[in-house]
Amino acid sequence: MSDLPEALEPEAETVSTTEVVEPTSAPTPRKRPKPGERRVQILQTLAEMLEQPGTERITTAALAGRLSVSEAALYRHFASKAQMFEGLIEFIESSVFTLLNQVAEREQAGQAQRMVQVLLQFGERNPGMTRVMVGDALVFEHERLGLRMNQFFDRVESLLRQSLRLAAEAAGSATPTVEANGQASALTCFAIGRLQRFARSGFRRLPTEQLDIALRALG
């Protein structure tokens, strides 16, 4: 932001007392959001509304009301409500897989269990996103959204399977692939179950509670 120029001293002049005009204050122009800023604001507000326990289907009218804009204003940034949910899913995918890949690169022992912990911590910190992840927020929305979240967990399971197979091979397992497939499936189902319980308990049952004990029981 550039500095404003310093005010200049007015030249002396003679003003008739009968012609004095009271100064008027110019109206403050309304600040317009920067490109992309309103889009992010819409997604943030949608996520916040999903964090309210007991929230049923969120309408575009309710979302527009929360933002104090018209529904037409929403559709200038998103072609449909399904596209808004896709924006949230893209955030989930980008955030979670970045974190999981970091675990794969930086940690060796207990890598798969650490991935599950990271996934559950993400859900715990983003309750509204958890409702999207487990499908609760997508029940009345376009079918492709639910399919995309199914693919998300398929990718999570694939990462777990790869990590567990390497660990089984290093431990000298005679059937590393079979072992990894079974463990990855169990860990993925466990993570989904913990996230579902979190969402359906009104966010009271944290997905990470007694996590170490549960993961040890799963082996």
Side-chain angles (χ1 to χ4, degrees), residues 76-156:
R76 284 199 289 271
H77 301 278
F78 295 94
S80 64
K81 187 166 62 155
Q83 201 175 81
M84 297 176 200
F85 275 104
E86 283 178 328
L88 293 183
I89 294 173
E90 286 169 6
F91 173 80
I92 292 167
E93 291 172 337
S94 174
S95 300
V96 170
F97 288 116
T98 295
L99 293 170
L100 297 187
N101 287 327
Q102 287 175 354
V103 172
E105 292 171 3
R106 299 174 184 176
E107 303 189 26
Q108 297 300 322
Q111 190 179 93
Q113 289 75 11
R114 175 60 178 154
M115 286 181 179
V116 172
Q117 181 184 35
V118 165
L119 173 61
L120 295 180
Q121 286 174 338
F122 174 84
E124 189 171 304
R125 293 167 182 166
N126 299 277
M129 300 296 183
T130 295
R131 292 192 61 211
V132 176
M133 292 165 72
V134 300
D136 285 6
L138 307 177
V139 172
F140 301 107
E141 306 303 334
H142 198 286
E143 182 182 0
R144 72 173 184 271
L145 300 174
L147 293 175
R148 187 164 173 180
M149 286 315 310
N150 289 340
Q151 291 171 351
F152 166 85
F153 284 108
D154 286 344
R155 287 178 62 190
V156 170

Side-chain angles (χ1 to χ4, degrees), residues 19 27 29 51 57 67-68 75 106 151-152 154 172 174 194:
E19 297 177 351
E51 291 181 6
R57 187 180 188 186
L67 287 160
S68 299
Y75 291 119
R106 299 174 184 176
Q151 291 171 351
F152 166 85
D154 286 344
R194 280 292 182 105

